[in-house]
Amino acid sequence: MEFENITLPATTMTPTVIYPREATVLAAVCAIIFSIVGVLGNFITTVALLMHPKLRGHVTTKFVLSLCVSDLLFCAINLPLTSNRFIKEEWTFGPSLCQMFAFIFYGNVAVSLLSMVAITVNRYIVIAYYDIYSEIYTTTKIWIQLVLIWFVSFGLMIPPLLEVWGKLGLDRHTFSCTILPKDGRSPKKYLFVFGFALPCLVIIGSYSCIYWKVRESKRKLEGRSKLNGQTAKEKEEDSRLTTLMLTIFVCFLACFLPLMIMNVADDNVQYPWIHIIASILAWASSVINPLIYAATNRQYRAAYSNLLKFCKNNPVTKRTTWGSRTMGQSSNSPHYNEKRNPLKSDKPTKS
């Protein structure tokens, strides 16, 4: 999973494994554990959100589901192959699968980050531009954003996949499938800037704006029952959801930043143990999100609880009680405006 790119001297016929055996065993074990836990956690989260009527209708949930699907693919495809290559200390699945491995890995990282960008922008608009929120986030526009997230993320990997700019292949020195240079050219640095650094800056900037907007609103509207047209309870629900999404981004950054730093500062892998630990942290980013959902937000805990009850009891009887408890009327709810203004419930909705 490493991003490093090391070129062997032309006289070297057999690459020397640079990782200690203890490090590769640790990496293999962690990859297996993360694969099992990540597949179960992200699959359960996806099903729980889809089965919960109120969360399913939230705008933010659409982008959270995009994040879950991305993490699920990574845990189901990349991590099992990673565990095998660390156990055997070589890639044994052929060049075609090696290319697809790198394609899916880098594409998934981009999907995760762009999904977080979409979530952050959504949180900022609901707080700063609440009056036009429903006009911006119609069903059609949400789906356009989701399609663009996946299209752009994997579209960035088309040039190296087709060997137009760099290529996807095996770095025999580290037995990793990654982006390699072709004719002395590689898009890796540009992908790092536009696929990782730039989205991170957008997210950090958006959350900074959210912080100052909330601080300003509290100072100006202290003690009032409504903020920008929202009731106090609705504002509280949106604030909790924003805190949850900020926590997810901070954890993602904490997981991936060490690997980014090591691949820039130690491109020759002089500290293999640190590279292994940084890689393990990067893999953990696809596993921890369901734990964050359950630990920090009562709405998501309610979704997990309802799924558990559904599995234990008759599904027909449970359909009438999904989402009946612990759910405030957040501005993300698709029927939120109708419930606040029942006389306007017959007004046609945008699509």
Side-chain angles (χ1 to χ4, degrees), residues 137-149:
Y137 286 96
T138 63
T139 301
T140 301
K141 292 177 181 178
I142 293 170
W143 277 106
I144 290 175
Q145 291 181 55
L146 290 171
V147 170
L148 284 175
I149 286 171

Side-chain angles (χ1 to χ4, degrees), residues 96-137:
S96 296
L97 192 55
C98 184
Q99 290 179 329
M100 292 309 301
F101 177 95
F103 181 80
I104 294 173
F105 172 70
Y106 286 98
N108 270 330
V109 172
V111 168
S112 296
L113 265 174
L114 291 183
S115 295
M116 291 182 199
V117 170
I119 290 170
T120 307
V121 172
N122 171 266
R123 296 290 83 211
Y124 174 70
I125 291 176
V126 76
I127 290 175
Y129 301 100
Y130 178 77
D131 293 338
I132 61 173
Y133 180 83
S134 60
E135 299 178 8
I136 297 176
Y137 286 96

Side-chain angles (χ1 to χ4, degrees), residues 272-302:
W273 266 105
I274 300 180
H275 276 267
I276 291 292
I277 294 173
S279 295
I280 292 172
L281 284 174
W283 308 337
S285 68
S286 61
V287 178
I288 61 176
N289 285 345
L291 302 178
I292 297 173
Y293 300 143
T296 62
N297 190 277
R298 68 179 186 178
Q299 296 181 352
Y300 284 76
R301 286 197 298 271

